[in-house]
Amino acid sequence: MKENVNHIFNLVNKELERQRNSIELIASENFTSLQVMQAMGTVLTNKYAEGYPGKRYYGGCEVVDEIETIAIQNLKKIFNINWANVQPHSGSQANAAVFLSCIKPGDKILGLDLTMGGHLTHGSPANFSGKNHQALFYGLNRDTGLVDYQMLEQTALQQKPKMIICGGSAYSRDWDYKLIREIADKIGAVVLADIAHTAGLIASGLLNDPFEHCHIVTSTTHKTLRGPRGGVIMLRHDFENPWGIKDNKGQLRTMSQLLDLALFPGVQGGPLEHVIAAKAIAFEEVLQNDFKVYSNQIISNAQTMSGAFTERGYNLISGGTDNHLMLVDLRNKNLTGKKAQEALEKANITLNKNTIPFDDKSPFITSGIRLGVPAITTRGLKEMEILKVVDLVDRVLTNADNETEIKLVRKEVLSFMQEFPLYPELYFRQFS
Ligand code: DSN
């Protein structure tokens, strides 16, 4: 038993070393503060608290009530909103609750195609969203790489979906939430904005504000928000639901009531109060002035990176980025996304292969890679260092079959990342 437990802690330390020694370019990852991490490893993990603050199904909830209330208050301050639910275990659970509260099985939904940068929970046939609903998709314009709002409008007017979803996981441009709402109003559809990727940048006022136009907003908390893994559901205005949606007792409810009920008991059981404590701390960090400095640096780093790749002859979908990520089309480099990901991994550079719009390759192979800068920005890399990162990535991609060159790049990555210490004091001790 002891050996097996220690083996796990050894593996945790191994992962710590992997993170320390890599250039992390996965657009959806980040490094939390030590405080955020510490909150997750506390006695709060022992507590059952089904229900919501003040209305729980278990005794002994007075402390977690206080913690969850602080998390909610902090989140409300960040986005200037009236209501929030901080219990979703993930962005997918948050979206599942929105679906459960607003639409019925079989209803039509309209989201950005996954192969064009959308998300599994926006209607993919492999996901509950596409299995339980009639999923329709809009895409990107082939020439510009931008969301094809004309296609979105035409599909919406013809098909009359009950819900329009905006937001994605590999789209590097900002969204026209106002236009989407105008289209939705013509057919009486609910607009869900999933800001999982860009929440931190929106919190810092650097991207369009979805809250004024979209009925419901969901997010994860671990990407640009730099919190623990988890999700949230938010409303700026808690509206009387205009669609006359009733709860399972046939009672008319406001949206916040329906969403609370949909998440618990509809989708989830007991909330993860240790993660909610970590969310409360992360949200406190977002409220500090230096978070805005961090978000500005993300955008500047992403633009520096996209400019440098373009100068080196890489084709970027939409020609660049407004946010923290970019999508590179590797077809002119005679490389697949899979090959690129694997070669880079050997050099301790982590990112993911990604389909590009109108890709002729499968999601297991792909013609592109997605790169994001939130994690390396947290580690302290600025514009000058971003140029070095681009150089290292380019060297691997132009020598993808040259093991000697890849080894040389790996050596450089190891010494380069030592200049940006990650959790220097941290070590997960073994138990005797
Ligand atoms: N898997 C996440 C991403 O990488 O974007 C989205 O859920």
Side-chain angles (χ1 to χ4, degrees):
M1 161 78 184
K2 199 178 80 189
E3 287 78 42
N4 290 343
V5 171
N6 282 337
H7 180 52
I8 297 293
F9 279 104
N10 277 338
L11 290 174
V12 175
N13 282 319
K14 205 170 158 189
E15 171 62 11
L16 174 59
E17 281 309 305
R18 190 196 66 79
Q19 292 185 14
R20 281 179 176 149
N21 292 330
S22 303
I23 296 179
E24 184 51 76
L25 297 176
I26 294 178
S28 46
E29 292 190 12
N30 211 329
F31 302 110
T32 72
S33 68
L34 271 180
Q35 291 90 319
V36 165
M37 230 190 287
Q38 273 165 1
M40 283 185 277
T42 61
V43 291
L44 296 169
T45 193
N46 300 332
K47 189 71 199 98
Y48 247 121
E50 286 180 6
Y52 292 102
K55 294 171 286 191
R56 306 279 190 183
Y57 288 85
Y58 292 81
C61 287
E62 61 278 9
V63 177
V64 294
D65 272 5
E66 217 174 303
I67 291 171
E68 192 168 330
T69 304
I70 294 171
I72 293 168
Q73 281 167 350
N74 284 350
L75 187 60
K76 281 159 79 170
K77 262 190 242 158
I78 291 172
F79 290 110
N80 183 25
I81 52 177
N82 285 322
W83 176 86
N85 185 316
V86 297
Q87 291 192 3
H89 303 333
S90 69
S92 297
Q93 305 290 82
N95 287 347
V98 175
F99 279 58
L100 192 64
S101 64
C102 292
I103 55 176
K104 295 195 175 58
D107 279 350
K108 289 179 182 168
I109 57 170
L110 174 60
L112 177 61
D113 193 322
L114 181 60
T115 63
M116 304 243 182
H119 189 253
L120 273 173
T121 57
H122 301 180
S124 159
N127 182 261
F128 75 87
S129 53
K131 284 184 191 290
N132 295 341
H133 305 91
Q134 281 188 62
L136 309 160
F137 298 101
Y138 54 92
L140 304 188
N141 178 293
R142 199 184 269 272
D143 300 324
T144 61
L146 301 177
V147 163
D148 188 341
Y149 289 101
Q150 233 179 350
M151 178 184 186
L152 192 163
E153 176 159 27
Q154 270 170 10
T155 315
L157 298 184
Q158 274 167 16
Q159 299 282 342
K160 302 197 172 35
K162 287 279 192 311
M163 185 190 285
I164 300 179
I165 306 155
C166 50
S169 58
Y171 185 57
S172 65
R173 296 297 182 179
D174 206 352
W175 287 79
D176 192 340
Y177 301 112
K178 186 168 180 284
L179 176 60
I180 293 173
R181 174 62 185 271
E182 281 165 11
I183 296 168
D185 281 348
K186 292 183 190 168
I187 54 166
V190 184
V191 182
L192 163 63
D194 178 345
I195 61 167
H197 263 267
T198 49
L201 305 176
I202 292 169
S204 299
L206 302 175
L207 292 176
N208 293 336
D209 175 3
F211 290 93
E212 221 28 57
H213 305 292
C214 305
H215 297 102
I216 305 171
V217 179
T218 56
S219 182
T220 56
T221 48
H222 49 275
K223 298 185 177 99
T224 49
L225 269 185
R226 209 163 56 180
R229 301 193 73 82
V232 291
I233 313 174
M234 302 171 280
L235 298 174
R236 178 162 290 162
H237 307 290
D238 182 9
F239 45 98
E240 296 291 331
N241 82 75
W243 309 281
I245 305 161
K246 298 191 174 122
D247 68 12
N248 51 7
K249 291 186 184 135
Q251 239 181 302
L252 215 58
R253 305 273 201 159
T254 63
M255 269 331 291
S256 65
Q257 290 168 333
L258 287 170
L259 287 164
D260 270 346
L261 284 167
L263 189 75
F264 170 80
V267 171
Q268 292 184 177
L272 310 176
E273 292 295 343
H274 54 306
V275 178
I276 290 174
K279 287 175 181 170
I281 293 169
F283 298 158
E284 189 66 43
E285 292 171 0
V286 173
L287 287 166
Q288 306 308 307
N289 288 336
D290 55 359
F291 190 84
K292 202 163 179 171
V293 176
Y294 166 64
S295 299
N296 269 305
Q297 190 66 54
I298 286 181
I299 298 221
S300 177
N301 282 354
Q303 287 178 356
T304 302
M305 184 176 274
S306 70
F309 274 119
T310 306
E311 263 175 38
R312 285 169 188 251
Y314 287 86
N315 288 331
L316 269 60
I317 303 302
S318 87
T321 182
D322 294 330
N323 56 31
H324 61 299
L325 67 80
M326 64 214 69
L327 194 55
V328 179
D329 176 351
L330 291 171
R331 285 176 302 187
N332 68 335
K333 298 283 175 181
N334 212 15
L335 267 180
T336 64
K338 181 173 187 284
K339 172 102 183 173
Q341 179 187 313
E342 286 168 0
L344 286 162
E345 192 160 11
K346 287 187 207 157
N348 283 23
I349 300 173
T350 340
L351 47 64
N352 65 287
K353 58 181 181 275
N354 215 101
T355 52
I356 53 164
F358 310 99
D359 208 329
D360 58 349
K361 298 202 174 59
S362 82
F364 296 105
I365 308 290
T366 82
S367 300
I369 47 174
R370 184 185 68 162
L371 301 97
V373 298
I376 51 173
T377 305
T378 296
R379 282 193 80 164
L381 276 70
K382 295 201 166 69
E383 293 79 357
M384 283 304 289
E385 291 88 22
I386 294 294
L387 295 177
K388 163 119 182 156
V389 170
V390 171
D391 182 58
L392 294 166
V393 170
D394 183 36
R395 272 170 59 196
V396 173
L397 295 184
T398 47
N399 295 281
D401 289 314
N402 181 343
E403 296 292 330
T404 316
E405 180 66 13
I406 291 176
K407 270 194 194 130
L408 279 176
V409 173
R410 182 172 183 272
K411 241 173 116 181
E412 275 187 50
V413 169
L414 286 172
S415 74
F416 179 48
M417 291 320 282
Q418 278 184 5
E419 294 168 36
F420 303 93
L422 179 67
Y423 309 125
E425 312 297 319
L426 197 61
Y427 173 72
F428 295 91
R429 76 191 159 82
Q430 300 221 333
F431 288 82
S432 48

